Amino acid sequence: MRVAIVHDWLVTYGGGEKVLEEILALYPDADLYSTVEFVPSAQRSFLGGREVTTSFIQHLPGARRHYRSYLPLMPLAVEQFDLSRYDLIISSSSAVAKGVLTGPDQVHVSYVHTPPRYVWDLQHQYLQGLGLGRGPRSWLMRALLHYIRIWDVRAGLGPDLLLTNSEFVARRIRKAYRREAEIIPPPVDVDSFLVREVKDNFYLTVSRLVPYKRIDLIIDAFSQTPERRLVVIGEGPERGRLQLRAGPNIELLGYQPFAALQDYLGRAQGFVFAAEEDFGIVPVEAQACGTPVIAYGKGGVLETVRGLDQPTPTGVFFDHQDPGALLEALDRFEAHRAHFSPAALRQNAERFSAQHFRKRFAQAVEWALKAILSPSGSTDLLPGDQ
């Protein structure tokens, strides 16, 4: 079987690329396509030495540093990939990869990390963040996003089977494309983390320091309770501003190597998470270390963390993104500390291992091949509905 794998863009090794890495491992002879490929040499090992077929955007001026500026051309770019010689096409998409053109005798399975949020439910926040809330440039950008949104609906209708990472994103897919998606959580490298039974007297958060991660909320809460120590790991444009508002009980360490991250996740008495994420990998990594999670109760984290109402809780939720709600959750966590079992935390994290991802992904693709290519095949039922 001839297999092609299509990814939006390849510029770094992040969460989407970890999913891609597992897909590449499942289909080692597949050809790989992407709108651009500028992965630093130190991070290229996940590609397995593959050559990447890129689009015309690869050669446009400034594409290496400003590839996102060519977003209006990306729908056109992916439609130019000639995939007619392949039997199976797998796309890994949070933007345009799902929009590749395929024929009736080809099977297209798309792992949709999310519909592009900047053209759907987060359009207004996106424009405000760019300083484009009003004015002529704002209306030009709104018109552009409107065009991309129309194209994205067409792209979302193209694949034969949609897969996604959480029920939270499946609801977004349902609203955008009026389609159901099979949920396969992304792979988490739980084997790289060890359970530590004895914890140190500090809380931890790990994140890129950008506004939507709400590290400011966490810092403000801990600044109000100087008896609690907080360690922040991560870099980003917000670091200077966050450093200025941090109390003496808060330590911003910046970027840390993986060995240090493992150590801090294992030693922390609790991991604090204030963002609304589609899935959220680091809270799962914390649980793999036996470290409970104190999280904002919205998004994918509701599917990876078990609250105090569960027989074997792995974390505590707060309902509002404000310091008071987080402080109340910290109080509840400390009052119920004895309810958290490191072994139960680890067991919960193992549900999201890379092995589970590969098994479920391969099963979904096999189902799609049989249902679509066999004479009596039907795609009325998702794999999980059989």
Side-chain angles (χ1 to χ4, degrees), residues 98-328:
K98 63 184 177 292
V100 292
L101 302 180
T102 60
D105 293 325
Q106 296 174 295
V107 175
H108 180 188
V109 176
S110 185
Y111 192 94
V112 179
H113 304 279
T114 181
R117 290 165 287 187
Y118 44 85
V119 302
W120 290 100
D121 51 315
L122 297 186
Q123 173 187 286
H124 302 294
Q125 294 93 315
Y126 173 74
L127 291 172
Q128 291 291 340
L130 291 176
L132 296 174
R134 60 180 62 191
R137 293 178 63 230
S138 172
W139 287 109
L140 179 62
M141 181 62 75
R142 291 172 191 272
L144 173 62
L145 293 177
H146 177 71
Y147 147 71
I148 295 175
R149 187 158 47 248
I150 293 172
W151 179 87
D152 192 60
V153 173
R154 195 287 298 164
L157 296 175
D160 298 292
L161 176 64
L162 297 182
L163 309 174
T164 194
N165 49 37
S166 65
E167 174 57 34
F168 180 65
V169 177
R171 292 196 297 272
R172 188 181 286 138
I173 288 171
R174 205 171 293 129
K175 277 191 173 285
Y177 311 137
R178 294 296 188 263
R179 294 190 61 182
E180 297 298 322
E182 173 77 357
I183 298 166
I184 301 179
V188 181
D189 188 12
V190 295
D191 292 339
S192 292
F193 299 90
L194 299 176
V195 174
R196 180 162 175 159
E197 300 275 350
V198 179
K199 303 296 185 179
D200 291 347
N201 188 29
F202 70 90
Y203 290 89
L204 176 70
T205 189
V206 179
S207 174
R208 287 183 294 120
L209 304 184
V210 293
Y212 88 93
K213 296 288 189 177
R214 298 310 312 271
I215 305 302
D216 58 336
L217 183 161
I218 300 173
I219 286 177
D220 288 349
F222 276 84
S223 294
Q224 295 177 32
T225 55
E227 70 277 8
R228 291 183 173 119
R229 181 184 167 212
L230 173 69
V231 174
V232 181
I233 291 178
E235 276 291 354
E238 292 280 288
R239 184 174 180 183
R241 186 177 71 87
L242 295 172
Q243 188 74 65
L244 289 174
R245 68 196 298 163
N249 59 319
I250 299 170
E251 189 176 8
L252 279 76
L253 299 182
Y255 167 79
Q256 294 294 305
F258 187 62
L261 174 63
Q262 290 171 306
D263 178 60
Y264 277 99
L265 278 173
R267 291 193 293 116
Q269 64 174 310
F271 179 80
V272 186
F273 190 75
E276 179 185 327
E277 291 279 19
D278 296 335
F279 180 77
I281 286 179
V282 185
V284 178
E285 294 174 339
Q287 292 174 81
C289 298
T291 300
V293 177
I294 301 93
Y296 174 50
K298 194 171 181 181
V301 73
L302 290 174
E303 301 168 48
T304 62
V305 176
R306 294 171 175 159
L308 287 171
D309 58 334
Q310 299 294 311
T312 54
T314 65
V316 173
F317 298 114
F318 55 97
D319 295 331
H320 304 286
Q321 286 179 310
D322 64 67
L326 172 54
L327 289 173
E328 191 274 334

Side-chain angles (χ1 to χ4, degrees), residues 39-54:
V39 181
S41 57
Q43 300 179 5
R44 292 184 59 84
S45 60
F46 78 97
L47 296 175
R50 282 180 176 80
E51 292 292 327
V52 181
T53 301
T54 57

